[in-house]
Amino acid sequence: MDQKKKKFPNIGFPKTFQFKLILYNFMVIICIAATISFYNYHSYRNDVIANETKNSQNRLFALSDRMEVAYHEMVNIIVNCAERKSLFFASSFASAEKPHTKSMQIYAFNVLRDFCAISGYSEYIHKITLYYDGMVLQSGTANGSGDDVENIMGSPWFPTLLAQKDSNYTLFLAENPFSFQSAGPAKILPLLRPLNYRYPTTPENSWIFLGISPKLFSDTLSRLPQERILYITTADGDVLASLNGSRYDISGPLRNTRLAIPLSGQFQSELNGDDCVITYQKQQPSGLIFMEVLPVKDMNIDHMVVIRTILITFFFCIAIGLILSLLVSRQLGTPIKRLTRRLQCIAQGNFERDYTIETNDEIGEIGRQINQMSGQISNLMETRVRGEKEKKDLEIKMLQAQINPHFLYNTLDSIKWIATMQKNSGIVQVVTALSSLLKNMAKGFNEKVTLKQELDFLNNYVTIEKIRYIELFDVDIQVDSDALYQAKIIKLTLQPLVENAIFNGIEPSGRTGLIKIHACTKNSVLYISVTDNGIGISPKNIEKLLTDTSRITRSNMSGIGLPNVDRRLKLVYGEAYGVTIESEIDQYTTITVALPLEF
């Protein structure tokens, strides 16, 4: 107990029911307040993410519209040039013998340049090349060269684009076939279309090429707020331009975006350990993909607002909870205090009924039970007082009853001395044995004696029975060890066994019998067996003999039968000990008692 007190010291908290109720309610309130605060924080956070995502989608939509205008301008340039008849006269430029050749070439070049200038995106047209049956017209930001036509026609994308019939071009990045000529971009977005002048016919090897510089997209992104993280890619996943693009690797999100069925949307992903929201807008038919990465940690989340909201909610819940706890604890505490006072009165001996604790609720039901209990305790105490009085009266009667056997064996002692004086040894022997029996029986039945004392008592009984039955039987006593004579045994254990052997075994047989008594020990258990060679007992009667405690015959000197001996041993030593019987009809009967070996 001292160790437990040291391990769990008393920290001074009150242990009343009211305090525990307030404490438990306070804990529940804290859990509720924390849950509400957590919910509010995540709701606010989700709202901020939703607003930022919506704004991002609007930005991407505007950016996509701007780039779609540029895309259509570029496509219109190449389509108009492919079908513009004013450029048809350039076919006559191939013959130097025709007049006005130089002026017509200049005219055609100006028309081509004006097409680019009108679009407003001329600075992003890296090169536009018109090839008509051996004649070449060129414009754009890059210088022309004599092998430009050969480089264009040698590019891997040339056959595919030349065979395209419609004007729905899907943009893709390709190696710049003119990169060796100047410090232009390493890659461009090529557009190609066959000429279709129909005057009178257009040669098959006539086409117009337009190379778009990726600078168009990087310049567009540079005009946006610089804290944004934006990407513009082709349908193949090649990045055309980015704003703060080195911050994250978007290969995974880009793959998800390309496979996404909706033209616009958003999803969440973890990039470089940051939780990010990724919005995207896909453009048709160019195939361009516009992406913005929104790191959650960079979003405009006003933490002070969140903290204030959480604190207000938290303390508001605690305040209400404490008020309710006090009210509830007061409602419950008052009747419980009445119950406590009532129990203290009962402990002091006041068992009168208290009707103030019997209210119409669960605690009132407890009060009614307490009143009933106090009434029952009062009745039990009165019954106990009466029982104690009756017990004292019975003890007096028992002391009076012991006078009779004491007076009897004192009288027998006088008879013994008279018989001794008259030299009648038979009367002396019987009276001495009977006096010893009565003296031992007057001391009680349940005290423990030594085995030697029990055998001496048994010899007195056998002496009387031998005179009565005129030597009808003999008794043979065998003890395996002298030390066993000091073993403890309950008094009057063997006499009923020998009495049973005489009356139920030997006497009904009509012949002289032998009773063997054997005491031995095994595994700290004392075994004493009584064997007779009488008529024996049937198995059915053996079971009945040990269970019928009502069988007490007139000849039973002690009034203790075999079943009572068995029950006494079991009550004193336990169910593992007691009496066992073995018998064969007209052969023998062996009754064995087993009890713990103790000295």
Side-chain angles (χ1 to χ4, degrees), residues 435-583:
S435 176
S436 179
L437 282 175
L438 291 175
K439 185 176 181 180
N440 278 282
M441 290 175 64
K443 293 180 181 179
F445 293 120
N446 289 327
E447 66 173 305
K448 292 181 181 180
V449 297
T450 63
L451 178 61
K452 185 177 184 306
Q453 291 173 328
E454 178 72 2
L455 292 176
D456 290 342
F457 176 78
L458 183 63
N459 283 330
N460 292 328
Y461 171 75
V462 170
T463 298
I464 295 173
E465 294 298 336
K466 277 188 175 183
I467 292 174
R468 176 184 176 186
Y469 287 101
I470 313 175
E471 303 297 333
L472 178 65
F473 63 91
D474 290 322
V475 177
D476 180 21
I477 299 175
Q478 180 183 354
V479 179
D480 284 358
S481 172
D482 291 341
L484 293 181
Y485 282 109
Q486 301 303 316
K488 292 286 186 177
I489 184 173
I490 297 177
K491 187 169 67 175
L492 287 177
T493 297
L494 299 182
Q495 182 271 332
L497 276 59
V498 173
E499 187 176 52
N500 179 79
I502 296 172
F503 295 154
N504 298 319
I506 295 175
E507 183 183 11
S509 68
R511 59 179 182 271
T512 302
L514 176 64
I515 300 175
K516 293 182 179 180
I517 300 175
H518 180 217
C520 63
T521 180
K522 183 178 180 182
N523 297 329
S524 298
V525 178
L526 176 63
Y527 296 97
I528 304 174
S529 61
V530 177
T531 304
D532 68 81
N533 57 353
I535 62 174
I537 307 173
S538 65
K540 182 178 180 181
N541 289 333
I542 288 176
E543 182 179 357
K544 186 176 181 181
L545 190 62
L546 289 179
T547 56
D548 187 2
T549 58
S550 64
R551 297 185 62 195
I552 302 176
T553 62
R554 293 181 181 178
S555 60
N556 193 326
M557 187 272 298
S558 65
I560 302 175
L562 285 180
N564 292 328
V565 172
D566 181 60
R567 189 58 187 159
R568 286 170 66 208
L569 293 175
K570 283 181 167 54
L571 288 174
V572 175
Y573 299 113
E575 294 294 329
Y577 303 97
V579 176
T580 58
I581 300 175
E582 295 181 7
S583 181

Side-chain angles (χ1 to χ4, degrees), residues 31-292:
C31 293
I32 295 174
T35 302
I36 295 174
S37 301
F38 180 80
Y39 173 79
N40 288 339
Y41 169 74
H42 276 273
S43 297
Y44 174 77
R45 181 176 179 271
N46 292 336
D47 290 341
V48 171
I49 292 175
N51 291 333
E52 290 289 337
T53 302
K54 185 176 180 180
N55 293 335
S56 174
Q57 288 176 330
N58 292 335
R59 284 193 297 271
L60 291 182
F61 184 76
L63 179 61
S64 175
D65 280 350
R66 188 181 306 173
M67 291 293 96
E68 189 173 8
V69 172
Y71 166 78
H72 286 300
E73 288 292 338
M74 298 294 182
V75 173
N76 286 337
I77 290 173
I78 195 171
V79 171
N80 288 334
C81 290
E83 298 178 356
R84 190 75 173 184
K85 291 184 179 182
S86 60
L87 295 175
F88 165 73
F89 297 100
S91 61
S92 61
F93 300 163
S95 175
E97 298 176 354
K98 292 184 179 182
H100 309 296
T101 299
K102 190 66 176 178
S103 61
M104 293 181 70
Q105 286 180 339
I106 294 173
Y107 169 75
F109 171 77
N110 290 332
V111 172
L112 187 62
R113 184 187 61 188
D114 291 342
F115 271 124
C116 297
I118 293 172
S119 67
Y121 296 96
S122 58
E123 62 178 308
Y124 303 113
I125 298 177
H126 180 64
K127 183 173 290 191
I128 181 168
T129 302
L130 187 145
Y131 180 74
Y132 184 87
D133 195 20
M135 190 207 73
V136 179
L137 284 178
Q138 292 196 93
S139 183
T141 59
N143 297 325
S145 176
D147 57 355
D148 286 350
V149 173
E150 181 180 349
N151 290 334
I152 293 173
M153 296 181 67
S155 298
W157 40 263
F158 181 82
T160 303
L161 292 182
L162 187 63
Q164 183 169 332
K165 302 298 183 183
D166 55 31
S167 58
N168 294 327
Y169 290 92
T170 300
L171 299 180
F172 61 92
L173 271 180
E175 295 291 335
N176 187 357
F178 322 113
S179 59
F180 63 91
Q181 299 174 357
S182 62
K187 293 187 177 183
I188 61 171
L189 289 86
L191 297 177
L192 187 73
R193 191 171 184 83
L195 299 181
N196 187 21
Y197 292 153
R198 305 184 186 279
Y199 185 78
T201 58
T202 303
E204 292 183 359
N205 58 346
S206 299
W207 43 264
I208 183 169
F209 162 80
L210 188 147
I212 306 173
S213 173
K215 190 172 182 294
L216 167 65
F217 304 98
S218 59
D219 286 353
T220 303
L221 292 182
S222 66
R223 300 186 188 98
L224 298 177
Q226 295 303 298
E227 69 275 8
R228 302 294 176 186
I229 305 175
L230 295 165
Y231 299 88
I232 302 177
T233 71
T234 64
D236 297 330
D238 296 322
V239 178
L240 297 177
S242 66
L243 184 61
N244 298 317
S246 60
R247 186 170 173 181
Y248 294 111
D249 177 17
I250 62 165
S251 56
L254 182 58
R255 181 171 56 254
N256 295 336
T257 303
R258 290 168 55 199
L259 297 175
I261 296 177
L263 295 180
S264 63
Q266 76 280 337
F267 57 91
Q268 284 188 277
S269 180
E270 186 174 313
L271 302 178
N272 298 351
D274 293 338
D275 187 17
C276 299
V277 177
I278 299 165
T279 59
Y280 66 90
Q281 178 79 34
K282 294 196 290 187
Q283 191 181 91
Q284 296 293 347
S286 67
L288 296 180
I289 300 175
F290 303 88
M291 292 176 55
E292 182 173 5

Side-chain angles (χ1 to χ4, degrees), residues 367-435:
R368 278 187 286 274
Q369 297 297 326
I370 290 176
N371 282 334
Q372 293 179 6
M373 179 190 68
S374 64
Q376 292 174 357
I377 292 175
S378 178
N379 293 335
L380 288 174
M381 291 185 67
E382 292 177 0
T383 303
R384 183 177 178 181
V385 170
R386 288 195 300 270
E388 290 293 332
K389 185 176 183 301
E390 292 176 357
K391 183 179 179 181
K392 290 182 179 179
D393 293 341
L394 183 60
E395 287 178 353
I396 294 173
K397 292 179 180 179
M398 291 176 64
L399 290 173
Q400 293 173 348
Q402 288 181 354
I403 296 175
N404 293 329
H406 281 287
F407 175 78
L408 182 60
Y409 67 70
N410 287 334
T411 303
L412 290 173
D413 190 53
S414 300
I415 295 174
K416 179 187 74 173
W417 286 110
I418 294 174
T420 301
M421 292 173 61
Q422 295 179 357
K423 297 181 180 180
N424 192 331
S425 61
I427 294 176
V428 172
Q429 187 178 8
V430 173
V431 169
T432 301
L434 180 59
S435 176

